[in-house]
Amino acid sequence: MAATLSLEPTGRSCWDEPGRIAMCRLTPEQPLTLRTALSDEKAVLFRAHTRYRADASGELDLARAPALGGSSVGLEPMGLLWALEPDRPLWHLLKRDVPKPLVLELGVLDGHEPDGGWLLAWAAQERHFLLLGVRRVPVWVDRVCATFFLLPGLRPFPGIIDISGFRGGLFEYRASLVAGHGFATLALAFYDFEDLPKEYNTMELDYFEEAMCYMLQHPQVKGPGIGLLGISLGADVCLSMASFLKNVSATVSINGSAFSRSRHIHYQQTIIPPLGHDLRRAKVAFSGIMDIVDIWNDIIGGCENPSMIPIERTKGPILFIAGQDDLCWRSELYTQIASERLLAHGKEPQIIFYPGNGHYIEPPYFPMCPASLHKLVNKAVICGGEVRTHSKAQVDAWNQILSFFGKHLGGTQNRTSSRL
């Protein structure tokens, strides 16, 4: 009888949801090559392949069978997703059109060499970014440009503002996934989008205050406070908001610095000067890609440096997530300095360091971005990270973030579909 391929979940699956790949009716100990392919919104193809061997009963379950080589090695049930590599060099898998799923194709071929022989089975799986029932609502209120993700029903849910980093624009994929876990989530743009400034010149906190007021006045947001989630520059925006603005109940900083780095931070009568940088300290790595980790000026005075965000003013808890192999800036060092400042003022942050992790710590199963275009230098820069370690940490970091917000905002890290 023909081999049977099982790819679960069989119905609608979310991108951050683990899956299961299994086969039966194979020849005992049969060598196999599994191939995955996925095209992004720019028609760039991402591919991975891994070699396996069926067990003595002619079955294969990636949850129990170790990969024997290829894109991943060892017990990696989701390796054929997170190990995807683009055909175009230095291409970062991003998702802009969140209502449209990405389609993962899986082919199973007989044999190992060179990449397998006869096609034994094929399947495709849609991986969605919107949980069924979650509404995507564009927001154009006064100056605020954002997208709101609201869960079904009329009752309020804990609110979270999600802010991306130096690349600017409006990215919704993380906020849409967070919403599926029981949160009313606002993906907020702050430059290089629609009518917003094209360049990031000054961090004007009154703009972010307007976004907070919009959230807190919305009938489907449960107050009295909200959560903040940011990565890179977006993390520093969140730390600034938590330091100066009211009604912030919990803040997550992913590879933030807790400093005003290259632009002033301005709120009312307060101006925090930038730490500054010197592009002459940039290097070209062995790969030919720019290395900018040393361009930032020294942190003279440590946690008392005038360019540091006054995070001791925050009222709610802070979770710092830092990759120890971040090569965009020294996230581990900055996190340690931030912790010293908080401890000096009687506050103890929650800190998670991930060895082997680079700059872009994304939701689960996103392929690692080893290098990316950086607007500060307008060139590709090294982001750091080791693929397998980075990918595993993304799963753990995601669970930590959801658990943190669930604890401090009153939400849940479980899927909400069964409760709505």
Side-chain angles (χ1 to χ4, degrees):
M1 298 179 68
T4 301
L5 172 62
S6 174
L7 182 57
E8 299 176 357
T10 56
R12 186 185 181 97
S13 64
C14 282
W15 179 269
D16 62 334
E17 184 177 3
R20 179 175 179 266
I21 299 173
M23 290 194 72
C24 60
R25 298 175 181 171
L26 297 163
T27 302
E29 309 292 341
Q30 183 175 356
L32 303 164
T33 298
L34 275 63
R35 288 178 173 176
T36 46
L38 178 150
S39 291
D40 72 0
E41 295 163 340
K42 300 292 186 179
V44 174
L45 185 64
F46 286 73
R47 294 188 287 191
H49 77 279
T50 310
R51 295 184 288 274
Y52 284 92
R53 190 176 298 277
D55 64 17
S57 60
E59 295 184 351
L60 175 70
D61 186 340
L62 268 60
R64 300 194 304 267
L68 303 177
S71 300
S72 61
V73 178
L75 195 62
E76 298 292 350
M78 296 297 291
L80 285 164
L81 183 55
W82 59 251
L84 289 166
E85 294 185 4
D87 283 352
R88 186 180 301 183
L90 305 180
W91 195 256
H92 189 180
L93 179 62
L94 296 172
K95 190 74 177 81
R96 295 179 184 272
D97 185 10
V98 296
K100 184 178 180 180
L102 290 174
V103 179
L104 181 71
E105 299 183 29
L106 170 65
V108 182
L109 298 91
D110 178 45
H112 284 168
E113 301 298 340
D115 290 321
W118 294 105
L119 181 66
L120 300 175
W122 179 92
Q125 182 185 62
E126 291 186 348
R127 297 193 70 86
H128 291 257
F129 289 79
L130 280 178
L131 189 71
L132 192 63
V134 173
R135 290 184 292 128
R136 177 185 177 274
V137 182
V139 175
W140 306 89
V141 178
D142 298 326
R143 295 185 299 164
V144 175
C145 294
T147 302
F148 212 172
F149 294 95
L150 295 169
L151 292 118
L154 298 177
R155 68 186 180 93
F157 287 87
I160 295 173
I161 295 179
D162 176 30
I163 305 177
S164 293
F166 216 110
R167 59 194 174 196
L170 179 60
F171 290 90
E172 306 174 359
Y173 58 91
R174 186 173 55 205
S176 65
L177 291 172
V178 170
H181 293 271
F183 301 96
T185 312
L186 187 78
L188 179 64
F190 63 100
Y191 86 102
D192 197 18
F193 180 74
E194 300 294 345
D195 294 332
L196 295 174
K198 294 302 179 184
E199 300 294 332
Y200 166 63
N201 295 316
T202 303
M203 187 190 298
E204 299 284 353
L205 284 181
D206 57 345
Y207 170 79
F208 301 98
E209 190 171 33
E210 289 180 24
M212 283 192 58
C213 290
Y214 170 80
M215 283 281 286
L216 290 168
Q217 293 169 5
H218 198 283
Q220 286 189 263
V221 174
K222 183 176 70 174
I226 62 172
L228 303 176
L229 170 61
I231 183 170
S232 188
L233 174 62
D236 292 337
V237 172
C238 290
L239 291 171
S240 300
M241 293 170 68
S243 300
F244 288 101
L245 307 182
K246 298 178 181 179
N247 302 118
V248 177
S249 296
T251 304
V252 175
S253 165
I254 304 173
N255 281 336
S257 71
F259 281 83
S260 174
R261 303 200 55 81
S262 56
R263 301 293 188 272
H264 289 83
I265 297 174
H266 182 216
Y267 181 66
Q268 296 181 351
Q269 304 304 313
T270 301
I271 297 177
I272 302 176
L275 187 64
H277 61 274
D278 186 346
L279 293 179
R280 292 174 298 180
R281 292 196 290 266
K283 302 184 292 290
V284 177
F286 180 77
S287 61
I289 304 171
M290 185 169 287
D291 180 347
I292 64 169
V293 73
D294 292 324
I295 69 171
W296 306 101
N297 291 339
D298 291 338
I299 311 168
I300 300 172
C303 63
E304 299 301 324
N305 188 290
S307 294
M308 191 167 188
I309 299 166
I311 53 177
E312 72 277 2
R313 299 175 56 172
T314 58
K315 298 297 190 294
I318 303 174
L319 169 61
F320 290 97
I321 292 174
Q324 292 179 299
D325 192 35
D326 184 353
L327 296 181
C328 287
W329 58 46
R330 302 188 189 282
S331 294
E332 180 181 10
L333 173 62
Y334 295 134
T335 299
Q336 291 171 343
I337 293 172
S339 176
E340 291 173 7
R341 182 157 181 155
L342 287 170
L343 290 171
H345 289 82
K347 299 184 177 182
E348 186 170 355
Q350 182 177 340
I351 299 173
I352 305 175
F353 290 124
Y354 288 109
N357 268 48
H359 191 68
Y360 286 109
I361 299 178
E362 299 273 36
Y365 315 127
F366 269 90
M368 190 191 81
C369 176
S372 180
L373 180 70
H374 199 294
K375 287 193 173 184
L376 185 65
V377 295
N378 201 30
K379 294 180 180 179
V381 303
I382 297 175
C383 299
E386 187 279 321
V387 175
R388 184 175 185 270
T389 303
H390 186 100
S391 300
K392 287 186 175 298
Q394 285 187 158
V395 176
D396 185 74
W398 187 246
N399 291 329
Q400 296 282 355
I401 290 167
L402 296 174
S403 177
F404 178 81
F405 281 133
K407 176 180 178 180
H408 298 290
L409 300 181
T412 175
Q413 65 173 353
N414 298 317
R415 289 284 174 201
T416 61
S417 56
S418 62
R419 302 186 293 106
L420 299 174

